[in-house]
């Protein structure tokens, strides 16, 4: 949760990893959220934790903010069921286009399979 991410941010700051060129920010999820100016948005399992509604808020904010790159966890081959810990941004209701690049060695499930 938030406390874990805050600990991670403090650890990066303490190690001197953050500089004028590298910064880690935390943002509260809301429909009107504004993301800080950045080149890259990174989230590991955030969409899964936030669910479809939170994912929509993030995606809309990404578009408004002009952040050029997004790197986040997806669950290919999964359906977006309300009470699930999985989120597949390529399936309904989100329907993102295929990524420019994908890291595919995390799962063996092919995302090009039709919905069951």
């Amino acid at each position: 949760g938030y406390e874990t991410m805050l600990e991670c941010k403090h650890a990066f700051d303490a190690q001197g990893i953050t500089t004028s060129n590298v910064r880690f920010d935390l943002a509260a999820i809301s429909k009107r959220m504004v993301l800080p100016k950045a080149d890259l948005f990174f989230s590991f399992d955030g969409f899964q934790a936030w669910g479809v509604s939170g994912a929509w808020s993030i995606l809309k904010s990404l578009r408004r903010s002009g952040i050029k790159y997004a790197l986040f966890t997806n669950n290919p081959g999964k359906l977006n069921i309300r009470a699930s810990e999985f989120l597949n941004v390529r399936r309904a209701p989100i329907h993102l286009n295929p990524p420019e690049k994908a890291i595919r060695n995390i799962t063996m499930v092919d995302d090009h399979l039709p919905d069951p």
Side-chain angles (χ1 to χ4, degrees):
Y2 177 80
E3 292 80 19
T4 304
M5 295 306 298
L6 191 57
E7 287 176 25
C8 184
K9 179 182 178 355
H10 290 312
F12 278 112
D13 291 343
Q15 292 296 319
I17 294 172
T18 55
T19 66
S20 61
N21 293 332
V22 177
R23 190 176 87 206
F24 295 89
D25 281 327
L26 304 174
I29 308 286
S30 74
K31 290 183 179 183
R32 298 178 194 266
M33 70 183 293
V34 176
L35 292 170
K37 183 177 179 187
D39 297 318
L40 171 70
F41 171 84
F42 172 78
S43 172
F44 184 80
D45 282 347
F47 283 20
Q48 290 70 11
W50 304 320
V52 173
S53 177
W56 269 120
S57 295
I58 291 288
L59 292 170
K60 289 176 183 176
S61 185
L62 281 169
R63 179 169 275 181
R64 284 192 306 267
S65 71
I67 294 175
K68 189 173 180 179
Y69 301 102
L71 178 64
F72 53 84
T73 310
N74 189 36
N75 297 112
K78 299 292 183 182
L79 298 177
N80 295 326
I81 301 168
R82 189 174 297 249
S84 173
E85 74 255 19
F86 302 109
L87 185 72
N88 184 350
V89 298
R90 304 265 313 275
R91 303 274 173 135
I94 297 175
H95 294 292
L96 287 185
N97 290 329
E100 288 184 28
K101 297 199 180 213
I103 301 169
R104 298 202 180 266
N105 63 344
I106 297 173
T107 182
M108 298 299 291
V109 178
D110 187 351
D111 197 27
H112 301 309
L113 298 175
D115 287 334

